[in-house]
Amino acid sequence: MISENIILKHEKGIATIYINRPEKLNALNKSTIQELHEALKIVDENPDVRVILISGSGEKAFVAGADVAEFAHFNSLEGSQLAAHGQQILFDYIENMKTPVIAAINGFALGGGLELAMACHFRIASDNAKMGLPETSLGLIPGYGGSQRLTHLVGKGRAMEMILTAGMIDAETAKSYGLVNHVVTQVELISFCTGIAQKIMRNSPLAIGKAIEAVNANYVSGVNGFDVEIHNFGTCFATDDFKEGTTAFLEKRKAEFKGN
């Protein structure tokens, strides 16, 4: 694919997507959101891609927010449409992908940037990272799922404080809140994420997709996550990956999963 705002690399089962607008601190605009959607769709449909990493170009920012100049003159309807479309094609899309997506937060992750990171299945931060949802300082609220996902991840009280103060937290605070899983140096960030990706790739891609679906079901209104887990658990028994995994265990050898 031809892209102006992202860089896509694929090596040894890991696709790495860099948001590449360093002059704008990788701020999200409509074209970048569309390009991210298209890149994610391509790699998700590629059976050779087992894990996806998302990061930002340069050393300053993962994504420092949305491109305010693009929507500064929107009316109410246009604002609602902007949020709905973005959630549909990118943020909700990432959350429900069957291929694991890891956010490698290499600097500022603010507003839409933090919302992008929170849509990923989990997050690793460099020690210089700063995170926050500053929308109330612009007369807005988070529009790409931030009020919901932040509350799920850090709890109501901390989410309220972060959103209402529009303040930033550092990487270690984010780790103590449960917002990120690990904090490493910026130099180590991608290699550390790659190491986790390699651990994921040892396991059944089909089972991983079913596990993501079951975990996500816990956060869907009106859906019984236990029922989804039971159904997906049973579904796994009819797969070649289950046969291979159990056979390899009994034969005391490494399983070779095919994803079917």
Side-chain angles (χ1 to χ4, degrees), residues 18-157:
Y18 293 94
I19 296 94
N20 187 38
R21 302 183 74 211
E23 74 286 352
K24 296 284 188 179
L25 293 180
N26 302 324
L28 294 178
N29 58 8
K30 287 189 288 186
S31 62
T32 304
I33 287 173
Q34 182 64 40
E35 289 175 17
L36 280 167
H37 170 77
E38 292 170 1
L40 288 162
K41 190 172 187 295
I42 288 169
V43 296
D44 194 37
E45 292 174 351
N46 184 345
D48 294 329
V49 174
R50 300 281 300 278
V51 181
I52 301 165
L53 309 182
I54 297 180
S55 194
S57 292
E59 299 180 352
K60 293 183 178 180
F62 174 74
V63 172
D67 196 333
V68 177
E70 192 172 65
F71 59 77
H73 302 292
F74 276 16
N75 61 31
S76 178
L77 177 60
E78 290 170 323
S80 295
Q81 291 172 337
L82 178 73
H85 183 65
Q87 288 196 34
Q88 177 185 4
I89 72 165
L90 184 59
F91 300 87
D92 292 349
Y93 185 84
I94 289 173
E95 184 173 60
N96 293 300
M97 288 175 65
K98 299 301 185 289
T99 307
V101 185
I102 303 170
I105 304 173
N106 59 307
F108 289 109
L110 304 175
L114 181 55
E115 289 173 304
L116 176 63
M118 291 192 295
C120 298
H121 297 121
F122 58 91
R123 289 143 295 283
I124 314 298
S126 59
D127 53 13
N128 67 313
K130 297 281 200 282
M131 286 157 259
L133 295 176
E135 285 86 349
T136 57
S137 70
L138 301 173
L140 292 171
I141 70 167
Y144 288 139
S147 64
Q148 306 304 298
R149 292 191 177 96
L150 185 63
T151 304
H152 291 158
L153 288 165
V154 307
K156 182 179 178 181

Side-chain angles (χ1 to χ4, degrees), residues 7 13 21 23 44 58 61 72 106 117 124 158 187 192 210 219 231:
I7 298 170
R21 302 183 74 211
E23 74 286 352
D44 194 37
N106 59 307
I124 314 298
R158 284 172 172 160
V187 172
F192 186 88
K210 294 296 184 184
Y219 300 98
H231 177 268

